């Protein structure tokens, strides 16, 4: 006799090992965090190493080191900028995000091997180019996978955790890179990077997406919690009437459309799934055509425009991606100039230059807390406070100008303040970006097609980060070379304040009309 799982086309005897754990919210979050941390780590691990390796391994003259450093970091951002929209479109049109995920993994491995073998500067450029393409995939698909997994009420906390791992990886990697390079040399840095990739590979292979796991479970074992559900045995969907019946399953009505598996098509608490509207006569009202609603299976309208264009028409989304651009530009500026500055000013080696980034790394651990605050109080004022409070310590960096103990303490203190304020920006804006997609779908169901547009929204997020990794190091490097440290720090402080105005007006919706996206 055909059972529930066989009706879905799967042999129940071939149910994956530890399916519940491998498809759980916690493990998916951990996998995405490790993937994002790995990409961020491999981006930043060369920050304290590059100025020294360019001189010692590649034979670049000292006067050209700053230019090559900024250029190599800019290449990374350029690759993300080009690759992210393509990756977002592919991810939204692919039923299994893991395939795209593994493609990014192979590219990352190739980039790391080139990094280890590189002696000529042009090989380092190719390595960073491939690494940028990998980051385009990991951030775009990883953040979209989080939105697939959890609901709107807790997305800020989850985004805060994921992006905290990115910030922490971005900042802790120069510290570890400098320490390892100083104690064990260049190849030891390469070995550390490869070890992290192995962990990343194993976790990505072990993870099972929600919609893939749902195909192996009968309906009476699959209550939902989030967009694709969390699987528990506490209660059954069929018993409480909110899930599909067994007869529906046998008839093949499992909600599978264009490769996207939707297990509970009528789940009321799912923010992506709308209840079927009833005609006006069902409530004893006159049959007024103006009051009748179309069935939820038909979209109200399709603009004919690509989802990316539709998304870019939202000021709320533009405010989010610009705020991300400002935040990452400031961090990128530190990556591009801080190591070189302390080397020339304090005569520090790569170990000392790496340790200074610890001042920025420790505050990055508070990302989940910031996400929780955003979920509770809304993203607007937290983001605005982040921009407003970042400017003063950036401007005060101009006071650091000579080799003295008190100057070193001042630099460390100001960097800690910058780390505490910058972490207030990313989590609220990333969570708000996902809400824009959801609100657009509510206004016009089906506007983005069956695949949705979460991956493409985060592709825009990724493009913003990519542009920032190009702009930040180059902008700060040019200012430092032509006008000096004081002018550079002042310019960064003014630039940081520019993100406050759009966030004030549009983050969380139009300031004077909360219902507008």
């Amino acid at each position: 006799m055909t059972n529930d799982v066989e009706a879905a086309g799967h042999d129940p005897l071939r149910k994956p090992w530890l399916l519940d754990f491998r498809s759980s919210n916690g493990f998916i979050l951990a996998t995405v965090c490790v993937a994002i941390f790995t990409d961020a780590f491999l981006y930043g691990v060369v920050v304290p190493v590059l100025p020294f390796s360019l001189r010692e391994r590649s034979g670049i003259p000292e006067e050209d080191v700053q230019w090559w450093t900024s250029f190599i970091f800019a290449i990374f951002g350029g690759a993300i900028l080009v690759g992210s929209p393509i990756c977002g479109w592919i991810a939204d049109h692919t039923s299994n995000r893991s395939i795209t995920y593994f493609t990014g993994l192979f590219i990352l491995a190739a980039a790391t091997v080139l990094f280890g073998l590189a002696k000529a500067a042009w090989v380092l450029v190719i390595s960073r180019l491939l690494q940028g393409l990998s980051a385009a995939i990991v951030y775009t698909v990883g953040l979209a996978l989080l939105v697939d997994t959890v609901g709107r009420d807790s997305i800020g906390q989850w985004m805060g955790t994921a992006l905290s791992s990115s910030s922490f990886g971005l900042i802790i990697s120069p510290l570890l890179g400098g320490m390892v390079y100083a104690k064990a040399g260049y190849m030891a840095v390469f070995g550390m990077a490869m070890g992290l990739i192995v962990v990343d590979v194993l976790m990505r292979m072990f993870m099972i997406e929600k919609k893939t796991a749902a195909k192996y479970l009968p309906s009476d074992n699959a209550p939902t919690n989030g967009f694709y559900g969390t699987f528990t045995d506490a209660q059954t969907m069929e018993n409480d009437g909110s899930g599909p019946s067994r007869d529906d399953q046998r008839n093949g009505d499992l909600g599978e459309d264009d490769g996207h598996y939707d297990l509970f098509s009528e789940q009321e608490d799912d923010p992506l799934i709308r209840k079927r509207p009833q005609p006006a006569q069902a409530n004893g009202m006159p049959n007024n055509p103006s009051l009748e609603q179309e069935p939820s299976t038909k979209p109200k309208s399709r603009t004919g425009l690509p989802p990316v264009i539709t998304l870019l028409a939202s000021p709320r989304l533009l405010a989010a991606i610009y705020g991300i651009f400002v935040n990452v530009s400031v961090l990128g500026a530190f990556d591009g100039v801080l190591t070189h500055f302390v080397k020339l000013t304090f005569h520090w080696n790569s170990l000392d230059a790496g340790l200074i980034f610890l001042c920025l790394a420790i505050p990055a651990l508070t990302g989940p807390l910031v996400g929780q605050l955003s979920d509770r109080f809304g993203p607007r004022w937290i983001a605005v406070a982040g921009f407003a409070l970042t400017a003063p310590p950036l401007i005060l960096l101009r006071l650091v100008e000579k080799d003295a103990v008190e100057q070193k303490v001042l630099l460390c203190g100001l960097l800690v303040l910058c780390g505490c304020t910058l972490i207030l920006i990313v989590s609220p804006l990333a969570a708000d970006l996902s809400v824009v997609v959801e609100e657009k779908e509510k206004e016009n169901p089906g506007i983005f097609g069956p695949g949705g547009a979460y991956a493409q929204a985060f592709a825009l997020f990724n493009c913003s980060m990519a542009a920032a990794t190009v702009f930040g190091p180059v902008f700060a490097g040019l200012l430092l070379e032509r006008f000096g440290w004081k002018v550079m720090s002042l310019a960064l402080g003014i630039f940081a304040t520019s993100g406050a105005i759009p966030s004030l007006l549009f983050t969380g919706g139009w300031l004077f009309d909360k219902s507008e996206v």
Side-chain angles (χ1 to χ4, degrees):
M1 186 173 79
T2 303
N3 63 22
D4 298 331
V5 181
E6 289 173 338
H10 297 278
D11 183 356
L13 297 178
R14 301 184 63 181
K15 176 180 174 180
W17 179 60
L18 294 178
L19 176 64
D20 291 354
F21 172 73
R22 294 166 65 182
S23 61
S24 65
N25 287 4
F27 187 75
I28 291 175
L29 174 63
T31 302
V32 172
C33 285
V34 168
I36 291 177
F37 174 84
T38 299
D39 265 292
F41 185 90
L42 295 182
Y43 167 81
V45 75
V46 301
V47 169
V49 174
L50 204 55
F52 299 94
S53 64
L54 284 172
R55 184 72 183 91
E56 298 168 5
R57 285 172 60 91
S58 304
I60 301 297
E62 183 66 37
E63 60 271 18
D64 295 331
V65 167
Q66 180 63 63
W67 184 89
W68 273 101
T69 299
S70 298
F71 177 69
I72 288 174
F73 281 109
I75 284 293
F76 175 87
I80 300 178
L81 193 61
V82 173
S84 291
I86 300 173
C87 295
W89 186 89
I90 293 174
D92 279 334
H93 290 77
T94 303
S95 60
N96 190 340
R97 299 196 195 275
S98 297
I99 297 174
T100 314
Y101 226 19
F102 273 104
T103 302
L105 177 63
F106 292 134
I107 296 175
L108 180 62
T112 306
V113 170
L114 281 179
F115 166 73
L117 300 177
K119 289 188 178 179
W122 65 268
V123 180
L124 284 172
V125 170
I126 295 176
S127 172
R128 299 300 273 182
L129 177 67
L130 292 176
Q131 191 179 20
L133 292 175
S134 171
I137 296 173
V138 169
Y139 280 89
T140 299
V141 180
L143 295 179
L145 185 59
L146 285 184
V147 178
D148 286 347
T149 304
V150 300
R152 174 176 177 174
D153 291 342
S154 59
I155 190 63
Q157 180 181 352
W158 281 58
M159 284 294 173
T161 303
L163 295 174
S164 177
S165 69
S166 172
S167 298
F168 187 69
L170 190 68
I171 298 169
I172 198 68
S173 51
L175 166 64
L176 296 179
M179 293 175 59
V180 172
Y181 181 77
K183 297 296 183 181
Y186 187 87
M187 291 308 295
V189 177
F190 166 71
M192 179 174 60
M194 287 303 300
L196 189 57
I197 289 178
V198 169
V199 175
D200 192 8
V201 170
L202 294 176
M203 293 192 70
R204 291 197 212 184
M205 291 179 64
F206 199 68
M207 184 193 74
I208 298 177
E209 290 186 53
K210 292 286 189 185
K211 52 190 174 182
T212 301
K215 300 177 183 180
Y216 293 96
L217 295 177
S219 62
D220 57 357
N221 286 331
T224 62
N225 178 18
F227 292 122
Y228 285 103
T230 299
F231 305 109
T232 69
D233 294 324
Q235 62 183 34
T236 65
M237 298 301 296
E238 184 177 352
N239 290 341
D240 64 16
S242 58
S245 68
R246 294 177 183 269
D247 291 337
D248 290 338
Q249 291 181 344
R250 291 192 181 99
N251 292 331
D253 184 14
L254 293 174
E256 191 165 354
D257 182 20
D258 295 334
H260 289 264
Y261 189 80
D262 184 4
L263 184 61
F264 306 114
S265 59
E266 296 293 327
Q267 183 67 13
E268 295 183 0
D269 60 353
D270 193 327
L272 286 186
I273 301 170
R274 284 144 297 271
K275 295 188 291 183
R276 184 176 292 113
Q278 299 297 324
Q281 285 182 328
N283 295 323
M285 298 176 62
N287 188 6
N288 187 341
S290 65
L291 298 177
E292 293 184 4
Q293 302 181 39
E294 296 178 358
S296 61
T297 56
K298 295 180 181 180
K300 292 180 181 177
S301 65
R302 293 292 298 275
T303 63
L305 297 174
V308 169
I309 302 300
T310 302
L311 291 171
L312 286 174
S314 167
R316 183 173 175 180
L317 182 137
L318 292 176
I321 62 177
Y322 179 71
I324 296 297
F325 174 79
V326 173
N327 178 274
V328 179
S329 291
V330 173
L331 288 174
F334 285 131
D335 289 338
V337 304
L338 188 56
T339 300
H340 197 60
F341 173 76
V342 297
K343 175 186 174 185
L344 296 178
T345 304
F346 302 146
H347 312 291
W348 283 357
N349 58 25
S350 63
L351 174 60
D352 299 327
L355 287 171
I356 194 67
F357 284 89
L358 188 61
C359 299
L360 291 165
I362 293 176
L365 294 174
T366 61
L369 175 61
V370 175
Q372 286 182 321
L373 293 175
S374 177
D375 288 334
R376 183 172 181 180
F377 300 107
R380 186 194 313 276
W381 297 110
I382 296 176
V384 170
F387 289 116
L389 296 175
T390 296
L394 285 175
I395 295 174
L396 290 175
L397 284 172
R398 66 201 318 270
L399 300 178
V400 181
E401 53 185 351
K402 61 183 179 180
D403 187 6
V405 174
E406 60 272 14
Q407 295 275 283
K408 297 173 184 177
V409 173
L410 177 62
L411 176 62
C412 292
L414 292 173
L415 290 177
V416 169
L417 290 177
C418 287
C420 291
T421 56
L422 287 171
I423 200 63
L424 297 174
I425 299 172
V426 179
S427 300
L429 294 183
D432 200 50
L433 186 146
S434 67
V435 174
V436 171
V437 180
E438 183 181 330
E439 294 294 334
K440 289 291 185 183
E441 280 278 7
K442 285 183 178 180
E443 288 180 357
N444 193 350
I447 188 174
F448 298 126
Y454 284 102
Q456 291 173 83
F458 286 112
L460 295 174
F461 172 91
N462 218 14
C463 286
S464 178
M465 293 181 64
T469 59
V470 175
F471 175 79
V474 173
F475 174 67
L478 289 175
L479 287 177
L480 181 62
E481 282 191 338
R482 295 187 180 183
F483 303 105
W485 175 259
K486 292 185 176 182
V487 173
M488 185 212 72
S489 65
L490 177 62
L492 286 179
I494 296 173
F495 176 62
T497 61
S498 68
I501 297 176
S503 291
L504 174 64
L505 294 176
F506 299 109
T507 298
W510 173 237
L511 179 62
F512 303 107
D513 183 2
K514 302 279 179 134
S515 63
E516 183 175 341
V517 179

